[in-house]
Amino acid sequence: MSGTPRRDHAHATLKRRIVEAAYLPGHRLVERDLAEELDLSRIPLREALRQLAAEGLVVTVPGKGTIVAPVTPDDVRDLFDVREALEGLAARLAAERATDEGRARLRECVERARDVRGAEQINARADFHDELVALSGNALLADVLGGISARVRRLFHLTGDRDAEVQCAEHEALYEAIAVGDGVRAAELGVRHVTGGRAETIAAAEAWTGVDPEEATRTRRRRRAG
Amino acid sequence: MSGTPRRDHAHATLKRRIVEAAYLPGHRLVERDLAEELDLSRIPLREALRQLAAEGLVVTVPGKGTIVAPVTPDDVRDLFDVREALEGLAARLAAERATDEGRARLRECVERARDVRGAEQINARADFHDELVALSGNALLADVLGGISARVRRLFHLTGDRDAEVQCAEHEALYEAIAVGDGVRAAELGVRHVTGGRAETIAAAEAWTGVDPEEATRTRRRRRAG
DNA sequence: GCCAGAATAACGGTATACCGTTAACTTCGG
DNA sequence: CCGAAGTTAACGGTATACCGTTATTCTGGC
C-alpha cells in the first residue's frame, strides 16, 4: 500500500476536473477509459464514482453509465436556497462560538484576500469560508457545506465569479459581526452574501442545454479505424 | 442483471440495520463476512460501504476497515443545529410553493398519523416529513435532509422517540401554517418542532461510550475452534 | 434500396484471486 | 517463566476476467 488508496486519488482527480469544469455537465464517464488513463483498475475507479455520486457531482443510471451531473436553473435556485440557510447558520454559530485564535485566523483570511488578486484571491476567499465554517464548530455543517461548496465552485467555473471587491467588502463586514459576537447580524450578512450571486448565476444557467441522463449514457460504438 | 444492482440491495440492507440500531455505533463491518452473509462478492459490498460512508452512517479508516459511525453528544447537537436550519427552510418553502394537491397529501399524512399507533405511527410521521420536504420543491434540500433524517431516525432508535401526541399536534400546527401559506410561521414551527427533541436526545447521548475508529478497526484474530 | 435478423462491439455489474500490512499466536533461548 | 523472534491468520486494496444487456453494424432476402 502506497499510503493513500488509489481510489482516493481517482476521486480527487475526477472531482477537480468536474469542479474546475474541465468536464462539462453531461460529460460521459466511461469506466474502462478513465481507469486506463488514471492507470488503475476499474474497482477503485468505481468506488470513486460512487463517492462522487453521493456528493451529487455525477449521476449514475443503473446498468447504463455515469455522467457529470447536469445543472438546471432549478438546481441553481435550490443550491442557493440551501446555501442561504446553512451559511446563515454557520455565520451565527461562528459569532457565538468563536475563540480569540479563531477570530485572528478569520481576520487573516480577510486581509490576505484583500492583498492578492486573480486565482489566488479566489482561493483566499474560499479559505475565508472554510475558516468561518470551522469556527462554527459544527462538523456536520462543515461536511454538508463542503459538499455544497464544491457544487458552488463548479458553478462559478461554469458561469464566472462575482465582483471581487464587493465580495471582499462583504467578507469584512461578516468578519466584524463575528468578531463582536453579533450572531444575528452575522447570520443576516451571511445570508445576504449568498443572495448576492443568486440572480446572475441562475440567469447564466438558463443557457445550458438540459441533458437527459438516460439518453446521455447510451452505449455508443466507437468509429472503426479501417 | 436482476433489475437492481446487488450493490443497491447491500446498501439498503446495511442502511436499515444501522438506522434501526441492529448495528450499534462502533460495530465492525468486515467485508468478507458481510459479503458471505448477503450472498454477494466484496465488490458490490464495498461500493455500498462507500455510499454509506458518504452518508455519514459508517466511518472507514483507510487500510484498516469500516465501523458503524459513532455518535457523540456534540454530533447530536450539530445534527439538531443543521436540522433546525433546514427544516425551517423546508417548511417555509413548502408554505410558499405548495399546490392544492400537495396540501391535500400533507393533510392526509397528518390524519393518518393521528389514527394509527406504535411503529406504524412512526412511519406515518416520517411520511409527513417526506411529504413536507417534497412540497418544498427543492431536490437538493430533499437529498440533504434525507441523509440527515436517516441519522435522526437512528438516534431515535438508539434513544427512544418523543411523545407521540405532542409531535402530532406540532405536525398539525405546521400543516395549518403551510395550508394558509404563512411561510414565516411555518418556518418558526418547523424549527421549534426540531428543537423539541433536542435536549433529551443530547442528554441520552452522554451515556454512549466514545469509540475510537482507529482502535475499533484493528485486525482481530478469531478464536480457534480446537 | 430497404428492412428484418444475425453478428458483434461497448460497457456496466460482479465473481475470483492475489498482494501487503498488521496483529495475534507460537516457539525458543535465556 | 518471560520476552524476543518467527509464523500465520485476518482483512482491506486492487487487478483480471467473465457475464449480460444494449445498441450499432453487417448481411441476406425481398
Side-chain angles (χ1 to χ4, degrees):
Chain A
M1 195 202 319
S2 60
T4 53
R6 297 163 87 66
R7 153 197 10 129
D8 292 343
H9 176 246
H11 174 256
T13 301
L14 294 179
K15 181 167 179 173
R16 187 161 3 94
R17 289 182 186 178
I18 295 169
V19 167
E20 294 179 356
Y23 290 159
L24 294 176
H27 182 100
R28 178 80 182 271
L29 297 176
V30 178
E31 299 179 359
R32 280 173 175 80
D33 294 351
L34 285 175
E36 183 181 7
E37 191 214 317
L38 301 179
D39 193 38
L40 35 68
S41 82
R42 286 173 59 211
I43 303 301
L45 183 78
R46 281 174 62 87
E47 294 182 14
L49 289 179
R50 293 269 79 68
Q51 292 183 229
L52 291 169
E55 295 175 83
L57 291 175
V58 305
V59 173
T60 296
V61 181
K64 296 301 197 78
T66 300
I67 60 170
V68 173
V71 183
T72 68
D74 270 5
D75 289 336
V76 180
R77 180 204 61 183
D78 292 354
L79 189 59
F80 275 81
D81 280 346
V82 174
R83 269 186 81 207
E84 278 180 8
L86 294 184
E87 291 276 2
L89 171 63
R92 179 170 65 74
L93 291 179
E96 291 171 359
R97 297 175 181 167
T99 61
D100 282 341
E101 307 88 69
R103 264 186 281 271
R105 282 199 302 277
L106 193 60
R107 147 148 255 139
E108 265 179 52
C109 290
V110 173
E111 288 170 0
R112 187 147 35 82
R114 224 176 21 203
D115 294 343
V116 299
R117 289 289 172 276
E120 206 179 342
Q121 196 197 47
I122 292 178
N123 288 331
R125 288 207 309 268
D127 288 347
F128 174 85
H129 279 267
D130 291 347
E131 189 60 45
L132 190 157
V133 174
L135 251 53
S136 80
N138 186 318
L140 173 62
L141 182 58
D143 192 67
V144 174
L145 264 180
I148 286 184
S149 105
R151 282 147 128 134
V152 172
R153 290 202 309 277
R154 176 160 83 118
L155 278 180
F156 286 163
H157 276 283
L158 287 166
T159 67
D161 200 359
R162 268 203 304 156
D163 180 0
E165 293 294 322
V166 175
Q167 291 203 53
C168 282
E170 288 173 358
H171 281 191
E172 195 149 347
L174 200 38
Y175 163 76
E176 291 297 339
I178 290 170
V180 301
D182 186 343
V184 174
R185 178 159 176 72
E188 191 185 310
L189 290 172
V191 171
R192 278 221 291 257
H193 180 53
V194 171
T195 311
R198 184 179 193 120
E200 82 185 88
T201 309
I202 294 179
E206 302 280 356
W208 303 329
T209 54
V211 177
D212 174 21
E214 280 288 341
E215 141 71 26
T217 52
R218 252 189 21 243
T219 316
R220 278 166 231 277
R221 184 174 290 205
R222 285 167 168 77
R223 202 61 26 208
R224 299 201 318 188
Chain B
M1 195 202 321
S2 61
T4 54
R6 296 161 87 65
R7 151 195 15 127
D8 292 342
H9 176 247
H11 174 256
T13 301
L14 294 179
K15 181 169 180 173
R16 186 159 8 90
R17 290 181 186 178
I18 295 170
V19 166
E20 294 178 357
Y23 291 159
L24 294 177
H27 182 100
R28 177 79 182 271
L29 298 175
V30 178
E31 299 179 1
R32 279 174 175 81
D33 294 351
L34 285 174
E36 183 181 7
E37 192 214 318
L38 301 178
D39 194 38
L40 34 68
S41 81
R42 287 173 59 211
I43 304 301
L45 182 79
R46 282 174 61 86
E47 293 183 14
L49 289 180
R50 291 269 78 70
Q51 292 183 229
L52 291 169
E55 294 175 82
L57 291 175
V58 304
V59 173
T60 295
V61 181
K64 296 301 197 82
T66 300
I67 60 171
V68 173
V71 183
T72 67
D74 270 5
D75 288 337
V76 180
R77 180 204 61 182
D78 292 354
L79 189 59
F80 275 81
D81 281 344
V82 173
R83 270 186 79 207
E84 279 179 8
L86 295 184
E87 291 277 2
L89 171 64
R92 180 170 64 75
L93 291 179
E96 291 171 358
R97 298 174 181 167
T99 62
D100 282 342
E101 308 88 70
R103 265 186 282 269
R105 282 199 303 276
L106 194 59
R107 146 149 256 139
E108 266 179 52
C109 290
V110 173
E111 288 168 1
R112 186 146 36 82
R114 225 176 18 203
D115 294 343
V116 298
R117 289 289 172 275
E120 207 179 341
Q121 195 197 48
I122 292 179
N123 287 333
R125 289 208 308 269
D127 289 346
F128 173 84
H129 279 268
D130 291 346
E131 190 58 47
L132 190 156
V133 173
L135 252 54
S136 80
N138 185 320
L140 173 62
L141 182 57
D143 193 67
V144 174
L145 264 181
I148 284 183
S149 105
R151 281 147 129 135
V152 173
R153 291 202 309 277
R154 175 160 83 118
L155 278 180
F156 286 162
H157 276 283
L158 288 167
T159 68
D161 202 357
R162 268 204 302 155
D163 180 359
E165 292 295 323
V166 175
Q167 290 201 54
C168 282
E170 287 172 359
H171 282 191
E172 195 148 349
L174 200 40
Y175 163 75
E176 291 298 338
I178 291 169
V180 300
D182 186 343
V184 173
R185 178 160 175 71
E188 192 184 310
L189 290 171
V191 171
R192 280 220 291 255
H193 179 54
V194 171
T195 312
R198 183 179 194 121
E200 80 185 89
T201 309
I202 293 180
E206 302 281 357
W208 303 328
T209 54
V211 177
D212 174 21
E214 281 287 342
E215 140 70 26
T217 52
R218 253 189 19 243
T219 322
R220 277 166 232 275
R221 183 175 290 204
R222 286 167 169 77
R223 200 72 11 218
R224 299 202 318 189

